[in-house]
Amino acid sequence: RRDDDVALGAILAAARPKDSLTLWHLLTRVNAANRVLVCDRLLALVRTLDATRRGDVLRMDAGALEAWWTRLPDVW
């Protein structure tokens, strides 16, 4: 568990806008506490994402996740 947190921290610190797809996929694979970290890093990297949907994304709302997904190609 501790090793996973350290690894996630390293991933988030090194992430660049072109890594947004990876971060988007991580949203569904981490616990709720780490989801906040991934979500906030993704918002910091990809300015085209709608920050007002943050709460919905953190709750794993399918519509919010889809809305973010459709905005990711803008940075590839």
XYZ file of all heavy atoms in Angstrom:
603
model
N 0.833 -1.203 0.000
C 0.000 0.000 0.000
C 0.872 1.261 0.000
O 0.661 2.155 -0.785
C -0.930 -0.077 1.211
C -1.644 1.159 1.532
C -2.944 1.294 0.810
N -3.467 2.561 1.294
C -4.202 3.353 0.631
N -4.616 3.036 -0.523
N -4.591 4.480 1.120
N 1.831 1.313 0.884
C 2.734 2.470 0.941
C 3.519 2.599 -0.361
O 3.691 3.702 -0.872
C 3.669 2.317 2.144
C 4.772 3.333 2.205
C 4.293 4.651 2.778
N 5.438 5.535 2.916
C 5.550 6.697 2.327
N 4.581 7.135 1.574
N 6.595 7.451 2.488
N 3.965 1.461 -0.886
C 4.701 1.490 -2.155
C 3.813 2.006 -3.289
O 4.286 2.735 -4.161
C 5.227 0.102 -2.514
C 6.345 -0.359 -1.596
O 6.972 0.501 -0.932
O 6.589 -1.572 -1.529
N 2.542 1.641 -3.261
C 1.610 2.130 -4.283
C 1.453 3.643 -4.201
O 1.408 4.323 -5.226
C 0.239 1.472 -4.127
C 0.241 0.000 -4.490
O 1.217 -0.469 -5.114
O -0.740 -0.683 -4.142
N 1.372 4.167 -2.987
C 1.240 5.619 -2.811
C 2.487 6.352 -3.296
O 2.387 7.409 -3.918
C 0.965 5.958 -1.350
C -0.424 5.525 -0.892
O -1.282 5.263 -1.757
O -0.637 5.455 0.330
N 3.653 5.770 -3.013
C 4.910 6.378 -3.467
C 4.971 6.356 -4.994
O 5.332 7.350 -5.627
C 6.131 5.656 -2.846
C 7.425 6.118 -3.490
C 6.165 5.887 -1.339
N 4.587 5.237 -5.589
C 4.593 5.115 -7.052
C 3.615 6.104 -7.677
O 3.934 6.764 -8.674
C 4.258 3.693 -7.469
N 2.433 6.230 -7.096
C 1.456 7.176 -7.635
C 1.985 8.601 -7.535
O 1.841 9.384 -8.477
C 0.123 7.051 -6.900
C -0.969 8.004 -7.386
C -1.312 7.762 -8.852
C -2.204 7.884 -6.510
N 2.599 8.934 -6.422
C 3.179 10.265 -6.271
C 4.210 10.562 -7.341
O 4.253 11.667 -7.893
N 5.034 9.571 -7.659
C 6.049 9.749 -8.696
C 5.396 9.925 -10.069
O 5.827 10.762 -10.873
C 7.004 8.561 -8.707
N 4.370 9.152 -10.324
C 3.647 9.264 -11.603
C 3.031 10.646 -11.747
O 3.155 11.298 -12.785
C 2.562 8.170 -11.708
C 3.220 6.801 -11.882
C 1.581 8.470 -12.843
C 2.267 5.645 -11.692
N 2.381 11.105 -10.699
C 1.725 12.412 -10.759
C 2.735 13.547 -10.900
O 2.506 14.495 -11.644
C 0.850 12.617 -9.528
C -0.341 11.666 -9.401
C -1.091 11.921 -8.105
C -1.262 11.756 -10.595
N 3.850 13.431 -10.206
C 4.876 14.479 -10.285
C 5.492 14.561 -11.684
O 5.835 15.642 -12.152
C 5.958 14.222 -9.245
N 5.625 13.430 -12.334
C 6.265 13.393 -13.651
C 5.281 13.602 -14.800
O 5.702 13.804 -15.940
C 6.984 12.056 -13.834
N 3.991 13.555 -14.519
C 2.974 13.623 -15.575
C 3.019 14.948 -16.322
O 3.222 16.009 -15.747
C 1.594 13.401 -14.978
N 2.839 14.819 -17.636
C 2.759 15.973 -18.533
C 1.411 15.924 -19.249
O 0.732 14.907 -19.189
C 3.893 15.890 -19.558
C 5.273 15.962 -18.907
C 6.326 15.459 -19.830
N 6.034 14.035 -20.080
C 6.770 13.235 -20.826
N 7.835 13.697 -21.423
N 6.459 11.979 -20.991
N 1.025 16.982 -19.934
C -0.270 16.958 -20.625
C -0.454 15.733 -21.527
O -1.555 15.187 -21.606
C -0.275 18.260 -21.422
C 0.535 19.185 -20.579
C 1.652 18.304 -20.031
N 0.600 15.288 -22.177
C 0.447 14.124 -23.064
C 0.200 12.834 -22.288
O -0.136 11.820 -22.881
C 1.645 13.990 -23.993
C 2.916 13.529 -23.342
C 3.994 13.379 -24.392
C 5.213 12.682 -23.821
N 6.176 12.384 -24.850
N 0.323 12.869 -20.969
C 0.033 11.700 -20.122
C -1.405 11.703 -19.613
O -1.777 10.863 -18.793
C 0.992 11.676 -18.922
C 2.438 11.587 -19.345
O 2.749 10.781 -20.244
O 3.265 12.341 -18.787
N -2.212 12.615 -20.117
C -3.579 12.756 -19.600
C -4.416 11.500 -19.785
O -5.246 11.180 -18.932
C -4.268 13.954 -20.242
O -4.370 13.791 -21.642
N -4.219 10.783 -20.847
C -4.962 9.542 -21.059
C -4.664 8.545 -19.946
O -5.578 7.913 -19.406
C -4.619 8.937 -22.422
C -5.281 7.606 -22.756
C -6.781 7.773 -22.828
C -4.737 7.067 -24.061
N -3.408 8.416 -19.589
C -3.019 7.516 -18.501
C -3.671 7.948 -17.191
O -4.205 7.123 -16.448
C -1.484 7.497 -18.348
O -0.921 7.001 -19.560
C -1.049 6.636 -17.181
N -3.637 9.237 -16.909
C -4.251 9.731 -15.670
C -5.754 9.496 -15.679
O -6.331 9.137 -14.643
C -3.935 11.210 -15.473
C -2.469 11.564 -15.261
C -2.319 13.060 -15.013
C -1.848 10.765 -14.136
N -6.396 9.704 -16.821
C -7.833 9.464 -16.910
C -8.147 8.016 -16.554
O -9.075 7.738 -15.802
C -8.346 9.813 -18.311
C -9.838 9.729 -18.444
C -10.733 10.719 -18.200
C -10.596 8.587 -18.842
N -12.006 10.263 -18.427
C -11.947 8.955 -18.814
C -10.265 7.286 -19.209
C -12.968 8.073 -19.154
C -11.283 6.403 -19.548
C -12.608 6.805 -19.523
N -7.349 7.086 -17.053
C -7.567 5.672 -16.736
C -7.282 5.381 -15.270
O -7.925 4.512 -14.672
C -6.717 4.780 -17.639
C -7.298 4.619 -19.006
N -8.395 3.842 -19.272
C -6.946 5.165 -20.188
C -8.691 3.900 -20.551
N -7.825 4.711 -21.136
N -6.341 6.068 -14.680
C -6.046 5.872 -13.256
C -7.222 6.265 -12.368
O -7.379 5.710 -11.275
C -4.814 6.682 -12.848
C -3.460 6.059 -13.122
C -2.351 7.044 -12.761
C -3.283 4.766 -12.359
N -8.030 7.206 -12.807
C -9.180 7.635 -12.001
C -10.033 6.458 -11.551
O -10.547 6.459 -10.432
C -10.054 8.616 -12.790
C -9.524 10.025 -12.964
C -10.384 10.785 -13.966
C -9.481 10.758 -11.629
N -10.196 5.482 -12.400
C -11.067 4.336 -12.080
C -10.330 3.209 -11.367
O -10.955 2.220 -10.994
C -11.715 3.769 -13.359
O -10.688 3.283 -14.233
C -12.526 4.839 -14.073
N -9.028 3.374 -11.169
C -8.232 2.280 -10.618
C -7.614 2.566 -9.250
O -6.921 1.729 -8.707
C -7.144 1.902 -11.610
C -7.724 1.258 -12.864
C -6.691 1.122 -13.956
N -7.196 0.347 -15.069
C -7.992 0.809 -16.018
N -8.412 2.052 -15.989
N -8.386 0.035 -17.008
N -7.853 3.749 -8.736
C -7.289 4.115 -7.436
C -8.415 4.291 -6.422
O -9.588 4.438 -6.792
C -6.435 5.400 -7.526
C -5.230 5.190 -8.427
C -7.261 6.580 -8.008
N -8.046 4.300 -5.154
C -9.051 4.501 -4.112
C -9.522 5.952 -4.109
O -8.959 6.810 -4.799
C -8.515 4.063 -2.744
C -7.325 4.886 -2.285
O -7.236 6.080 -2.535
N -6.401 4.234 -1.603
N -10.545 6.231 -3.326
C -11.162 7.561 -3.329
C -10.174 8.664 -2.940
O -10.191 9.747 -3.530
C -12.374 7.571 -2.406
N -9.329 8.408 -1.965
C -8.363 9.423 -1.539
C -7.367 9.735 -2.654
O -7.067 10.907 -2.925
C -7.619 8.961 -0.285
N -6.871 8.716 -3.304
C -5.926 8.925 -4.403
C -6.610 9.469 -5.645
O -5.987 10.154 -6.444
C -5.169 7.637 -4.716
C -4.116 7.330 -3.681
O -3.624 8.231 -2.993
N -3.766 6.070 -3.545
N -7.894 9.189 -5.786
C -8.638 9.726 -6.925
C -8.625 11.257 -6.900
O -8.533 11.910 -7.939
C -10.073 9.204 -6.917
C -10.840 9.559 -8.173
C -12.212 8.894 -8.229
N -12.051 7.463 -8.100
C -12.723 6.712 -7.212
N -13.607 7.249 -6.414
N -12.520 5.416 -7.165
N -8.689 11.837 -5.719
C -8.624 13.290 -5.588
C -7.293 13.800 -6.141
O -7.255 14.786 -6.886
C -8.794 13.721 -4.112
C -8.513 15.201 -3.936
C -10.187 13.370 -3.620
N -6.197 13.126 -5.800
C -4.874 13.527 -6.284
C -4.774 13.433 -7.799
O -4.266 14.338 -8.456
C -3.794 12.666 -5.632
C -3.707 12.717 -4.106
C -2.688 11.703 -3.604
C -3.392 14.111 -3.637
N -5.268 12.316 -8.349
C -5.211 12.116 -9.798
C -6.092 13.150 -10.500
O -5.680 13.771 -11.488
C -5.631 10.676 -10.178
C -5.715 10.519 -11.692
C -4.666 9.657 -9.577
N -7.271 13.357 -9.990
C -8.208 14.313 -10.578
C -7.607 15.719 -10.585
O -7.641 16.415 -11.613
C -9.512 14.286 -9.787
S -10.777 15.399 -10.395
N -7.054 16.123 -9.474
C -6.492 17.475 -9.391
C -5.277 17.643 -10.302
O -5.090 18.702 -10.904
C -6.157 17.820 -7.944
C -7.406 18.039 -7.109
O -8.505 18.192 -7.685
O -7.290 18.057 -5.869
N -4.465 16.600 -10.430
C -3.319 16.685 -11.346
C -3.801 16.773 -12.786
O -3.266 17.538 -13.594
C -2.390 15.482 -11.146
C -1.150 15.518 -11.993
C -0.252 16.689 -11.620
N 0.990 16.625 -12.371
C 1.620 17.693 -12.816
N 1.177 18.907 -12.548
N 2.732 17.560 -13.499
N -4.808 16.010 -13.113
C -5.364 16.047 -14.469
C -5.934 17.431 -14.775
O -5.693 17.982 -15.860
C -6.441 14.971 -14.601
C -6.940 14.580 -15.967
C -5.814 14.299 -16.937
C -7.856 13.379 -15.865
N -6.627 18.014 -13.828
C -7.154 19.368 -14.016
C -6.029 20.383 -14.198
O -6.156 21.321 -14.986
C -8.026 19.777 -12.836
C -9.449 19.246 -12.849
C -10.109 19.490 -11.499
C -10.257 19.876 -13.967
N -4.942 20.206 -13.470
C -3.812 21.130 -13.591
C -3.129 21.022 -14.945
O -2.628 22.013 -15.472
C -2.804 20.865 -12.474
N -3.131 19.829 -15.498
C -2.432 19.600 -16.766
C -3.266 19.929 -17.993
O -2.727 20.334 -19.018
C -1.984 18.136 -16.854
C -0.894 17.705 -15.896
C -0.688 16.202 -15.998
C 0.403 18.439 -16.180
N -4.555 19.720 -17.896
C -5.426 19.849 -19.068
C -6.445 20.947 -18.809
O -7.487 20.730 -18.211
C -6.124 18.508 -19.385
C -6.944 18.629 -20.671
C -5.117 17.380 -19.494
N -6.122 22.126 -19.270
C -6.957 23.300 -19.007
C -8.312 23.236 -19.708
O -9.218 23.980 -19.353
C -6.219 24.570 -19.437
C -4.925 24.785 -18.708
C -5.169 25.098 -17.265
N -3.906 25.310 -16.578
C -3.778 25.279 -15.279
N -4.812 25.042 -14.524
N -2.615 25.480 -14.719
N -8.466 22.355 -20.683
C -9.744 22.261 -21.396
C -10.786 21.476 -20.605
O -11.952 21.469 -20.979
C -9.562 21.604 -22.779
O -9.036 20.297 -22.611
C -8.677 22.432 -23.676
N -10.374 20.829 -19.525
C -11.340 20.079 -18.720
C -12.151 21.048 -17.875
O -11.655 22.061 -17.398
C -10.626 19.072 -17.823
C -9.873 17.961 -18.550
C -9.218 17.028 -17.541
C -10.776 17.181 -19.478
N -13.391 20.701 -17.660
C -14.314 21.540 -16.907
C -14.168 21.253 -15.416
O -14.620 20.218 -14.921
C -15.737 21.248 -17.379
C -16.781 22.105 -16.708
O -16.428 22.964 -15.880
O -17.966 21.904 -17.025
N -13.550 22.169 -14.690
C -13.311 21.973 -13.256
C -14.605 21.887 -12.462
O -14.621 21.304 -11.379
C -12.435 23.103 -12.718
N -15.690 22.421 -12.999
C -16.955 22.351 -12.269
C -17.487 20.927 -12.202
O -18.345 20.628 -11.387
C -18.031 23.266 -12.908
O -18.301 22.820 -14.227
C -17.573 24.711 -12.917
N -16.961 20.044 -13.026
C -17.389 18.633 -13.016
C -16.544 17.793 -12.062
O -16.727 16.586 -11.977
C -17.311 18.056 -14.424
C -18.079 18.902 -15.400
C -19.037 18.303 -16.295
N -19.810 17.207 -15.874
C -20.521 16.480 -16.725
N -20.498 16.750 -17.994
N -21.254 15.481 -16.310
N -15.604 18.425 -11.364
C -14.682 17.710 -10.481
C -15.421 16.790 -9.503
O -15.078 15.630 -9.347
C -13.816 18.707 -9.723
C -12.826 18.064 -8.775
C -12.023 19.140 -8.032
N -11.059 18.587 -7.127
C -11.318 18.252 -5.868
N -12.534 18.436 -5.366
N -10.362 17.752 -5.100
N -16.423 17.314 -8.837
C -17.177 16.518 -7.868
C -17.828 15.304 -8.514
O -17.836 14.212 -7.934
N -18.368 15.500 -9.711
C -18.981 14.385 -10.437
C -17.940 13.350 -10.834
O -18.189 12.147 -10.751
C -19.715 14.892 -11.683
C -20.912 15.752 -11.339
O -21.488 15.576 -10.245
O -21.267 16.610 -12.172
N -16.780 13.806 -11.272
C -15.701 12.882 -11.633
C -15.262 12.090 -10.400
O -15.072 10.876 -10.469
C -14.516 13.635 -12.267
C -13.274 12.758 -12.346
C -14.896 14.143 -13.654
N -15.122 12.769 -9.279
C -14.706 12.080 -8.052
C -15.730 11.040 -7.613
O -15.372 10.037 -7.001
C -14.454 13.088 -6.930
C -13.249 13.996 -7.133
C -13.171 15.020 -6.019
C -11.965 13.185 -7.224
N -16.999 11.259 -7.940
C -18.043 10.271 -7.642
C -18.159 9.217 -8.735
O -19.034 8.370 -8.706
C -19.382 10.978 -7.455
C -19.510 11.716 -6.142
C -20.930 12.214 -5.904
N -21.331 13.241 -6.865
C -20.970 14.527 -6.813
N -20.194 14.939 -5.849
N -21.381 15.384 -7.726
N -17.288 9.331 -9.748
C -17.253 8.387 -10.869
C -18.532 8.418 -11.691
O -18.983 7.404 -12.221
C -16.942 6.957 -10.395
C -15.637 6.836 -9.613
S -14.194 7.525 -10.462
C -14.117 6.558 -11.925
N -19.107 9.603 -11.822
C -20.288 9.783 -12.652
C -19.917 9.517 -14.109
O -18.995 10.139 -14.655
C -20.807 11.220 -12.491
C -21.963 11.507 -13.412
O -23.090 11.102 -13.065
O -21.739 12.116 -14.477
N -20.620 8.604 -14.738
C -20.287 8.189 -16.101
C -20.346 9.362 -17.084
O -19.503 9.474 -17.979
C -21.223 7.070 -16.552
N -21.327 10.238 -16.950
C -21.436 11.376 -17.849
C -20.272 12.342 -17.720
O -19.765 12.861 -18.718
N -19.829 12.577 -16.493
C -18.693 13.481 -16.270
C -17.408 12.866 -16.806
O -16.596 13.551 -17.430
C -18.549 13.788 -14.780
N -17.219 11.575 -16.573
C -16.029 10.898 -17.095
C -16.015 10.925 -18.621
O -14.985 11.168 -19.239
C -15.957 9.460 -16.583
C -15.640 9.317 -15.100
C -15.882 7.884 -14.644
C -14.212 9.732 -14.805
N -17.160 10.706 -19.227
C -17.264 10.747 -20.688
C -16.970 12.151 -21.212
O -16.280 12.312 -22.224
C -18.657 10.296 -21.134
C -18.881 10.350 -22.625
C -18.055 9.354 -23.411
O -17.588 8.345 -22.831
O -17.858 9.572 -24.619
N -17.491 13.158 -20.525
C -17.234 14.540 -20.945
C -15.743 14.839 -20.910
O -15.220 15.491 -21.818
C -18.000 15.506 -20.043
N -15.058 14.391 -19.881
C -13.609 14.598 -19.810
C -12.915 13.807 -20.905
O -11.982 14.279 -21.532
C -13.084 14.205 -18.435
C -13.224 15.297 -17.424
C -14.087 16.357 -17.453
C -12.468 15.430 -16.229
N -13.920 17.134 -16.355
C -12.933 16.591 -15.574
C -11.464 14.685 -15.639
C -12.403 17.017 -14.369
C -10.945 15.109 -14.430
C -11.409 16.265 -13.813
N -13.333 12.570 -21.124
C -12.717 11.721 -22.137
C -12.723 12.407 -23.501
O -11.740 12.383 -24.220
C -13.446 10.382 -22.210
C -13.009 9.511 -23.331
C -13.629 9.310 -24.520
C -11.810 8.725 -23.368
N -12.901 8.452 -25.299
C -11.782 8.075 -24.606
C -10.764 8.518 -22.469
C -10.742 7.225 -24.976
C -9.731 7.670 -22.840
C -9.732 7.033 -24.086
N -13.841 13.020 -23.830
C -13.952 13.654 -25.146
C -13.072 14.891 -25.272
O -12.786 15.327 -26.383
C -15.414 14.044 -25.462
O -15.875 14.991 -24.497
C -16.305 12.819 -25.483
N -12.634 15.456 -24.165
C -11.755 16.637 -24.197
C -10.274 16.275 -24.236
O -9.447 17.106 -24.571
C -12.000 17.526 -22.968
C -13.422 17.998 -22.774
C -13.988 18.763 -23.975
N -13.270 19.956 -24.302
C -13.580 21.157 -23.902
N -14.618 21.362 -23.131
N -12.839 22.199 -24.290
N -9.932 15.043 -23.903
C -8.524 14.662 -23.842
C -7.805 14.722 -25.189
O -6.668 15.138 -25.231
C -8.368 13.271 -23.212
C -8.720 13.178 -21.732
C -8.509 11.766 -21.249
C -7.928 14.164 -20.898
N -8.402 14.335 -26.290
C -7.661 14.398 -27.554
C -7.145 15.784 -27.908
O -6.227 15.922 -28.704
C -8.683 13.914 -28.584
C -9.611 13.056 -27.808
C -9.697 13.699 -26.444
N -7.709 16.817 -27.303
C -7.239 18.173 -27.561
C -5.768 18.379 -27.178
O -5.126 19.297 -27.649
C -8.089 19.195 -26.784
C -9.520 19.236 -27.283
O -9.785 18.755 -28.396
O -10.370 19.757 -26.557
N -5.232 17.535 -26.300
C -3.864 17.736 -25.822
C -2.891 16.684 -26.352
O -1.715 16.726 -26.042
C -3.793 17.765 -24.274
C -4.608 18.928 -23.747
C -4.233 16.450 -23.677
N -3.350 15.741 -27.143
C -2.453 14.692 -27.646
C -1.629 15.199 -28.786
O -1.932 15.925 -29.607
C -3.208 13.453 -28.066
C -3.857 12.761 -26.922
C -3.559 12.894 -25.599
C -4.925 11.843 -26.988
N -4.387 12.104 -24.853
C -5.220 11.443 -25.677
C -5.661 11.307 -28.022
C -6.221 10.540 -25.384
C -6.652 10.417 -27.724
C -6.924 10.034 -26.422
